[in-house]
């Protein structure tokens, strides 16, 4: 038993347990539980992927993993696999057992009733409905609880990083995918792009789609490429297919950003018929409005079910006009309108000439979409990166150069300094035949720039730097003049020297 393991009833605060390095035996069985959990990582959303192994006297009694939302959790699957007596056993589970009634009963209660003696947990569950409650329930029943620390804890956290981010922020985990030449180009100047990356890289891209709960693209991409953006099961990597229950695979919904509503003008369904992306599954056409969506949402909430809400009078002349008779859902910064059987219109606040990406993520979060994948051209990908909304960036690099006039993969503005550049704390590389996959993760959020003026008008970086330099020079000159009056001639020379140096450095 590892040092500092768990707390029993009556010892310490319930629900609180310090992570510890596991001994060799505990580490071995938790790794087996982690292996089980990975079998469900592409099918459990909106739930996390969890694996469980039950052991007594060195013998594995049962093991299992969570397959899909609404189905039994990993602990229940392992108990069923054990098929009977597990009293006094040790349970190894990758995530803190739940303690609330949702689609299924609480797993912590099931473990207590089964009479287990000890539970080793890979990571805490930050879900507000759990958040230590599962640990507390076990401890209160006198069960010893151990929380893994170190590398094993990190591996358990990484497996469910998207769920953890989504459940704590109410926004999805955002990933982007880029297939590029070494010089950062995604197509020739005439649009030719098939194929820059190799077949194995494209297969790995299908894995990302499988992971995603929603795909985000633009009207421009749809018009140019006419993509389906489906998960092509027959193109998935072999290692992903191993143990994957293909019956549980669902095609991710799509969001097509069409700020000016060109695909749904006058609610004409004929406008979308030529495009494959709208032909199957659920889709949303995201349009921009300058109407007050918060007030519209208040009107919807105040309306009896089945009745048409009376919307506030709007004098806005541009942007999408919300149709009260077509509203099927709303939130403080979005409205969903009915368009066709499978396509809805998602009305979002309009930032200048584009829909608000933050409002889009709020909407997706409200639908419990854990992973949002951006598959589009340079403009949208760059917008997500520039606003600090990307959690992981997948760059597939091919060994070729396409030249200065080819289409660039990104259109980011140049930062004023190297220190202000968009950065990620983690970079992982993987060789895929003659391609290289670079995965950027853990984005570094840049600190907010302090205002140098009380005026509301923001200065450009160049003007800000100039104004700051002038202010510094002026302050230095006043200080030097005051000092000169109070000091001797020899000291005045030093002040003059400092003043001269200050001007030179400015």
């Amino acid at each position: 038993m590892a040092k500092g393991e768990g707390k029993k009833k009556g010892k310490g605060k319930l629900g609180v347990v310090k992570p510890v390095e596991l001994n060799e035996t505990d580490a071995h069985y938790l790794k087996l539980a982690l292996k089980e959990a990975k079998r469900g990582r592409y099918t459990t959303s909106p739930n996390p992927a969890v694996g469980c192994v039950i052991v007594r006297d060195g013998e594995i009694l049962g093991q299992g993993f969570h397959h899909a939302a609404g189905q039994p959790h990993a602990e229940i699957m392992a108990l069923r696999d054990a098929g009977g007596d597990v009293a006094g056993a040790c349970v190894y589970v990758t995530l803190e057992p739940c303690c609330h009634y949702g689609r299924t009963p609480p797993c912590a209660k099931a473990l207590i009733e089964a009479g287990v003696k000890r539970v080793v947990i890979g990571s805490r569950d930050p879900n507000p409905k759990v958040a230590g409650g599962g640990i507390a329930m076990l401890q209160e029943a006198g069960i010893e609880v151990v929380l893994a620390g170190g590398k094993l804890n990190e591996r358990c956290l990484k497996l469910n990083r998207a769920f953890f981010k989504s459940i704590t922020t109410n926004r999805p985990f955002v990933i982007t995918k880029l297939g590029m030449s070494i010089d950062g180009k995604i197509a020739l100047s005439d649009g030719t792009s098939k194929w820059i990356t190799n077949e194995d890289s494209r297969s790995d891209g299908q894995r990302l789609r499988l992971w995603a709960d929603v795909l985000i693209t633009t009207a421009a991409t749809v018009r140019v490429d006419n993509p389906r953006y489906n998960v092509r099961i027959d193109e998935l990597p072999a290692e992903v297919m191993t143990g994957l229950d293909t019956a549980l695979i669902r095609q991710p919904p799509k969001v097509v950003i069409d700020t000016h509503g060109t695909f749904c003008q006058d609610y004409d369904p004929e406008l979308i018929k030529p495009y494959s992306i709208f032909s199957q599954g659920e889709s949303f056409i995201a349009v921009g409005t300058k109407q007050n969506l918060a007030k519209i949402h208040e009107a919807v909430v105040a309306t009896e079910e089945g009745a048409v809400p009376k919307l506030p009078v709007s004098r806005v002349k541009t942007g999408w006009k919300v149709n009260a008779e077509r509203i099927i859902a709303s939130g403080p910064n979005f409205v969903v309108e009915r368009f066709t059987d499978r396509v809805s219109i998602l009305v979002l606040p309009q930032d200048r000439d584009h829909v608000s990406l933050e409002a889009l993520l709020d909407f997706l979060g409200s639908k419990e979409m854990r992973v949002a994948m951006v598959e589009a051209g340079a403009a949208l990908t760059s917008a997500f990166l520039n606003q600090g909304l990307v959690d992981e960036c997948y760059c597939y690099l091919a060994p070729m150069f396409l030249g200065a006039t080819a289409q660039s993969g990104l259109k980011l503005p140049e930062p004023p300094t190297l220190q202000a550049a968009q950065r990620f704390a983690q970079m992982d590389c993987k060789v895929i035949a003659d391609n290289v996959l670079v995965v950027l993760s853990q984005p570094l959020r840049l600190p907010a720039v302090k205002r140098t003026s009380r005026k509301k008008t923001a200065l450009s970086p160049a003007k800000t730097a100039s104004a700051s330099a002038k202010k510094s020079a002026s302050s230095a000159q006043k200080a030097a003049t005051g000092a000169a009056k109070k000091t001797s001639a020899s000291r005045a020379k030093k002040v003059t020297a400092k003043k001269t140096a200050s001007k030179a450095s400015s």
Side-chain angles (χ1 to χ4, degrees):
M1 188 180 297
K3 185 179 179 180
E5 293 175 335
K7 297 282 184 182
K8 290 189 178 182
K9 183 178 179 181
K11 293 184 178 181
K13 186 177 179 181
L14 291 178
V16 176
V17 57
K18 292 183 179 180
V20 296
E21 288 287 348
L22 301 182
N23 60 35
E24 187 176 346
T25 301
D26 285 343
H28 169 72
Y29 290 121
L30 188 57
K31 286 176 183 177
L32 291 181
L34 189 57
K35 186 177 180 180
E36 284 288 312
K38 289 179 179 179
R39 296 175 63 186
R41 60 184 159 180
Y42 296 114
T43 58
T44 61
S45 186
N47 291 351
V50 186
C52 181
V53 174
I54 302 175
V55 180
R56 185 173 59 199
D57 298 330
E59 178 187 359
I60 296 178
L61 303 179
Q63 54 191 355
F65 67 97
H66 182 43
H67 291 237
Q71 294 192 18
H73 290 187
E75 298 92 327
I76 307 304
M77 295 296 289
L79 287 170
R80 289 181 181 179
D81 188 51
D85 178 28
V86 296
C90 181
V91 175
Y92 297 87
V93 61
T94 55
L95 184 68
E96 177 183 356
C98 64
C99 57
H100 63 288
Y101 284 87
R103 298 180 184 179
T104 58
C107 293
K109 185 173 183 290
L111 294 178
I112 293 169
E113 292 174 348
V116 303
K117 182 180 179 181
R118 184 167 174 260
V119 177
V120 179
I121 298 170
S123 63
R124 292 187 178 92
D125 187 349
N127 184 343
K129 294 179 180 178
V130 184
I135 292 174
M137 184 179 288
L138 294 171
Q139 290 174 328
E140 193 170 19
I143 296 174
E144 181 184 6
V145 179
V146 181
L147 176 63
K151 294 293 183 181
L152 262 178
N153 175 258
E154 291 175 8
R155 287 171 62 183
C156 290
L157 291 172
K158 183 177 181 180
L159 177 64
N160 286 311
R161 60 195 183 279
F163 172 79
F164 292 157
K165 189 259 175 120
S166 177
I167 203 71
T168 55
T169 66
N170 294 318
R171 284 185 177 180
F173 188 88
V174 178
I175 63 174
T176 63
K177 178 180 74 71
L178 294 164
M180 303 186 294
S181 61
I182 289 294
D183 53 344
K185 307 297 182 177
I186 58 173
L188 295 176
S189 57
D190 65 0
T192 302
S193 62
K194 295 182 179 179
W195 294 106
I196 293 175
T197 55
N198 63 32
E199 186 176 352
D200 290 340
S201 289
R202 298 195 298 276
S203 175
D204 195 63
Q206 292 298 315
R207 174 183 65 84
L208 296 180
R209 285 187 188 174
L210 180 63
W211 186 32
D213 295 301
V214 61
L215 299 179
I216 304 173
T217 190
T218 63
T221 297
V222 170
R223 285 196 170 89
V224 172
D225 298 335
N226 195 16
R228 284 186 183 275
Y229 280 153
N230 282 342
V231 178
R232 296 191 287 273
I233 298 175
D234 58 335
E235 295 181 21
L236 288 169
E239 62 270 22
V240 172
M241 291 297 294
T242 303
L244 179 66
D245 188 347
T246 56
L248 296 175
I249 293 176
R250 72 280 179 272
Q251 293 296 340
K254 290 86 178 176
V255 172
V256 179
I257 296 180
D258 182 22
T259 302
H260 303 295
T262 58
F263 278 141
C264 49
Q265 189 174 6
D266 298 324
Y267 299 98
D268 183 2
E270 295 296 319
L271 295 173
I272 63 174
K273 280 189 175 180
Y275 303 103
S276 301
I277 198 169
F278 302 114
S279 64
Q280 54 183 292
E282 184 181 21
S283 298
F284 298 88
I285 299 174
V287 301
T289 186
K290 294 185 178 180
Q291 289 180 280
N292 191 322
L293 294 179
K295 289 186 176 180
I296 291 177
H297 176 56
E298 290 175 2
V300 172
V301 171
T303 303
E304 293 183 6
E305 187 175 352
V308 176
K310 185 177 180 181
L311 304 186
V313 176
S314 175
R315 297 181 180 178
V316 175
K317 296 181 179 179
T318 59
W320 189 265
K321 303 296 190 302
V322 174
N323 185 333
E325 295 183 353
R326 288 180 175 266
I327 294 176
I328 54 178
S330 68
N333 57 357
F334 66 83
V335 166
V336 182
E337 293 185 8
R338 182 183 64 259
F339 185 31
T340 70
D341 290 344
R342 60 171 59 97
V343 182
S344 301
I345 299 170
L346 174 60
V347 188
L348 300 170
Q350 187 170 329
D351 294 341
R352 297 180 182 177
D353 292 328
H354 306 284
V355 299
S356 166
L357 298 182
E358 296 206 35
L360 169 59
L361 296 182
D362 288 339
F363 165 72
L364 298 177
S366 73
K367 291 181 66 66
E368 294 189 325
M369 293 182 177
R370 305 302 186 199
V371 179
M373 181 177 178
V374 180
E375 279 207 75
L380 183 63
T381 303
S382 299
F384 270 93
L385 282 167
N386 196 45
Q387 294 181 39
L389 300 176
V390 175
D391 294 289
E392 288 183 354
C393 186
Y394 291 76
C395 305
Y396 297 86
L397 303 178
M400 64 175 75
F401 296 92
L402 297 185
T405 58
Q407 296 180 25
S408 295
L410 294 170
K411 294 181 179 179
L412 291 168
E414 180 182 347
T417 65
L418 289 177
Q419 290 73 24
Q422 175 76 44
R423 294 174 183 266
F424 289 80
Q426 182 72 28
M427 182 175 75
D428 297 295
C429 298
K430 178 184 178 182
V431 176
I432 305 179
D434 64 344
N435 287 187
V436 174
L437 169 60
V438 177
V439 182
L440 304 175
S441 57
Q442 300 175 29
L444 298 173
R445 308 302 183 192
L446 299 176
V449 179
K450 293 182 178 179
R451 291 183 180 273
T452 57
S453 170
R454 292 184 180 180
K455 294 182 179 180
K456 292 183 179 180
T457 304
L459 297 176
S460 67
K463 289 181 178 180
T464 301
S466 175
S468 178
K470 288 179 181 180
K471 185 176 179 180
S472 297
S474 176
S475 298
Q477 188 173 9
K478 289 179 180 179
T481 302
K485 292 180 180 179
K486 296 181 180 180
T487 59
S488 62
S490 61
R491 191 167 183 182
K493 290 180 180 180
K494 293 181 180 179
V495 173
T496 303
K498 288 182 180 179
K499 180 179 175 183
T500 304
S502 175
K503 288 183 176 179
S505 64
S506 300

